[in-house]
Amino acid sequence: MKFDTKDLSSADLLAFYRALLLPRLIEEKMLILLRQGKISKWFSGYGQEAISVGATLAMQSDEYILPMHRNLGIFTTREVPLDRLFAQFQGKSSGFTKGRDRSFHFGSQAHHLVGMISHLGPQMGVADGIALAHKLRNQQKATLVITGDGGASEGDFHEAVNLAAVWQLPVIFLIENNCWGLSTPSHEQFNFDSFTLKGPGYGIQTRQVDGNNLLEVYHTIEEAAKTARHQSQPILVECMTFRIRGHEEASGTKYYPKGLIDKWTSKDPIDNYESFLLGQGLMTAKQVEEIKTELNDKITLALQQSNAEAPVTADTKVEEQDLYAPYKQKITLPKSRRKNTLRFVDALSEGLEQALERHPELVLMGQDIAEYGGVFKVTEGFAERFGKERIRNTPISESAVIGSALGLSIQGMKAIVEMQFADFVTCGFNQIVNNLAKSHYRWDQPADVVIRMPTGAGVGAGPFHSQSNESWFFHTPGLKIVYPSTPYDAKGLLHAAIEDPNPYLYFEHKALYRSQTQNVPQDYYTVEVGKARYVTRGEDLTVITYGMGVHWAIDTLTELETIDAEIVDLRTLLPWDQETVRISVNKTNKVLILHEDTLTGGIGAEIAAWISEHCFESLDAPVMREASLDTPVPFAKPLEDNYLPKLRLKQKLLDLHRY
């Protein structure tokens, strides 16, 4: 193995050796602890250390790196305190996730590191967002994100690389090609010889390097980072290497062909670099032993410190408290009494416009939202007023775009992502429920993201443009969900969601866009999140609903003049207003829960269960529900009308009233 030192000094080369050796010595210790049952899992980077160490040394210390589970050397080279690192492996409270996630599934803002989640690919979109923040702020900084050859088969890889290429983002996509995805060899994962062949397809530069050669990795990433910084463009770097040990220790290596491990052992990055230094007279055998002793002593001391820490203690209050980033909403009232009569869609547009004025680093992203103004024209004229840097058209890449929104949040910016239709959120589902929702709980990183969700049926759009999918997210801790039914609430709840540093799903019913008008304050204002409102007051029964259900209830009860009903508009679905529901049910003693979503597994089921548990003694009738049929949303109007609950609502109210 040949090493080109270029302009590195003798001191640099020795420092590189220490950095390369440390993760190997830690891993040897961790394998012992694994056998002793003191840690539960270990993902080996044995033989791949040159990639982690060389790449990190080449990056500036304030540039973000997004590592994988074999990149121990990134954490050690960034000088993450070893006692905290070991506490993280042991699931203790001083670890970076306080015992909530294992191994390298964490980040540290202090060290400019953003950890992976087990799904591998999503972090590449996050890297795009981090790089976008640098670009918008005119900072000449690069971002490095790691994936494996296996992870590069995921759609997230394509979406993130393509997005970075289209937006010319300073991201280095480093692929650790260790030739195996767990037990599956490369030829069963992709049909090409090198990832460098992908570059021309995306219009980006690529490099391939010997991933076991520390200096080759260092010089290549150093050059790529300079190019990314100064020319603001993505670069793909393929590092050829091999995983000497199993995917994780329990899986073993029996699937490797005979002799393959021996072949790659001869290319060991540490042995070869050490031999080079000794051969050049840059280091003596005595120094090697002294360095190993010093590093082992450092490891031992850190282990003693982490071992001395007591096991984590569960505290339910703390667990629930850490679900969201700390935030206490301050209600903003309009400064004047000036009002305009606005349609629902106009209230949304005005709300977004005022939010963009109020938050200079707020970025909007979505398909066709710039010059075209979005398919519902909510952002019409925004690109001309605020510029295309902030009003960003995106490729059809929901996952990468939502990941980018999280990346902007990591950089302290705010982001709104428009789903063209709420139905299409399925293509970004993983980013929402596993990245946005869990980010603060896992490593104290807020996800300051609002996802706008044009939703609902009644517009003859069929199964893939009409779904009500709020219940998918209602079950996910860490998210907040709002669903306004009036123009006033549409504007005020939108402002409230944007102000809050936690992730929101903002549902807006398409059929309300141009059918509902209201006098709306001209000024900026917010509506309280988590607080329902009384649409009507009554004594006979309570209707709990939201969104289009509010208007169905009003219309139907107007026909039924004999029923004195109280309508409660939840407005916020997560967290929902239990106290207002309790007060109303205790007063009327009868309750119907109405929503457009399908009946089975809908939000109404949870509310009904809660009422039965907490208000049972006040009930004079069973808790009733009315919702859409348990089928997909049909296209033809007679079928769609039959699907929706509105035609069944009158009889349900009569049944409940007579009970």
Side-chain angles (χ1 to χ4, degrees), residues 406-461:
L406 177 57
L408 288 170
S409 180
I410 287 170
Q411 287 271 47
M413 299 178 72
K414 290 180 177 289
I416 298 176
V417 178
E418 177 185 309
M419 291 293 109
Q420 196 168 74
F421 291 85
D423 312 64
F424 301 162
V425 78
T426 50
C427 299
F429 193 75
N430 186 38
Q431 291 281 18
I432 296 172
V433 301
N434 284 317
N435 245 346
L436 299 185
K438 296 176 174 63
S439 179
H440 188 266
Y441 177 76
R442 289 173 54 241
W443 62 287
D444 292 334
Q445 173 58 53
D448 198 347
V449 178
V450 176
I451 301 177
R452 289 184 45 232
M453 302 277 280
T455 189
V459 292

Side-chain angles (χ1 to χ4, degrees), residues 28-319:
E28 290 173 350
K29 184 69 73 172
M30 291 302 112
L31 292 173
I32 294 171
L33 295 179
L34 181 68
R35 297 185 191 101
Q36 294 174 343
K38 294 182 179 179
I39 59 173
S40 63
K41 204 88 168 176
W42 186 255
F43 293 92
S44 175
Y46 200 103
Q48 297 182 206
E49 296 93 344
I51 299 172
S52 299
V53 174
T56 306
L57 289 169
M59 299 293 289
Q60 295 173 359
S61 62
D62 62 348
E63 292 180 319
Y64 281 91
I65 302 178
L66 293 85
M68 293 284 284
H69 48 283
R70 303 195 195 288
N71 297 128
L72 171 60
I74 289 176
F75 294 87
T76 55
T77 306
R78 278 281 165 98
E79 298 183 349
V80 171
L82 295 186
D83 58 328
R84 287 198 68 192
L85 191 60
F86 298 157
Q88 168 68 22
F89 298 159
Q90 295 171 329
K92 295 187 173 179
S93 59
S94 68
F96 290 88
T97 64
K98 306 174 188 176
R100 294 167 182 160
D101 208 342
R102 65 187 186 186
S103 66
F104 301 104
H105 292 205
F106 72 91
S108 170
Q109 282 283 12
H111 301 90
H112 290 84
L113 297 174
V114 179
M116 61 174 290
I117 63 172
S118 296
H119 304 69
L120 306 180
Q123 66 183 24
M124 288 180 279
V126 178
D128 283 349
I130 292 172
L132 175 60
H134 285 312
K135 183 167 184 171
L136 293 175
R137 291 168 172 167
N138 295 313
Q139 299 166 329
Q140 291 188 331
K141 295 291 180 184
T143 300
L144 174 68
V145 61
I146 319 288
T147 190
D149 51 300
S153 294
E154 293 187 314
D156 280 290
F157 173 83
H158 161 70
E159 288 193 19
V161 175
N162 184 62
L163 187 67
V166 171
W167 286 354
Q168 286 294 280
L169 300 175
V171 183
I172 302 169
F173 295 93
L174 191 158
I175 301 173
E176 289 185 304
N177 188 348
N178 61 23
C179 307
W180 294 78
L182 209 155
S183 68
T184 306
S186 292
H187 69 268
E188 294 182 18
Q189 298 206 60
F190 41 81
N191 189 29
F192 51 81
D193 295 328
S194 169
F195 280 93
T196 58
L197 298 174
K198 287 182 172 282
Y202 294 107
I204 66 173
Q205 297 182 33
T206 60
R207 317 273 191 274
Q208 186 186 71
V209 336
D210 179 354
N212 285 27
N213 186 315
L214 176 65
L215 299 189
E216 190 174 333
V217 173
Y218 171 79
H219 293 309
T220 301
I221 298 300
E222 182 184 44
E223 178 270 331
K226 287 179 180 177
T227 301
R229 290 181 201 119
H230 299 295
Q231 298 180 24
S232 189
Q233 62 176 270
I235 297 174
L236 187 151
V237 178
E238 180 181 25
C239 294
M240 301 304 298
T241 186
F242 182 73
R243 172 168 48 79
I244 295 289
R245 305 188 70 86
H247 168 73
E248 42 81 31
E249 285 304 301
S251 65
T253 58
K254 290 183 179 179
Y255 42 82
Y256 283 159
K258 187 176 180 180
L260 189 59
I261 292 178
D262 292 338
K263 172 188 172 183
W264 279 94
T265 298
S266 68
K267 301 179 181 181
D268 183 85
I270 296 174
D271 291 347
N272 280 279
Y273 187 62
E274 184 180 293
S275 296
F276 162 72
L277 294 178
L278 291 171
Q280 294 294 312
L282 298 172
M283 184 173 66
T284 66
K286 181 181 179 183
Q287 283 179 293
V288 170
E289 294 307 312
E290 288 174 348
I291 292 171
K292 288 182 178 178
T293 299
E294 178 192 340
L295 294 179
N296 274 319
D297 288 345
K298 181 179 180 180
I299 294 167
T300 299
L301 177 61
L303 272 173
Q304 289 173 347
Q305 292 170 329
S306 63
N307 288 337
E309 182 180 348
V312 66
T313 301
D315 184 326
T316 300
K317 183 178 180 181
V318 172
E319 290 297 288

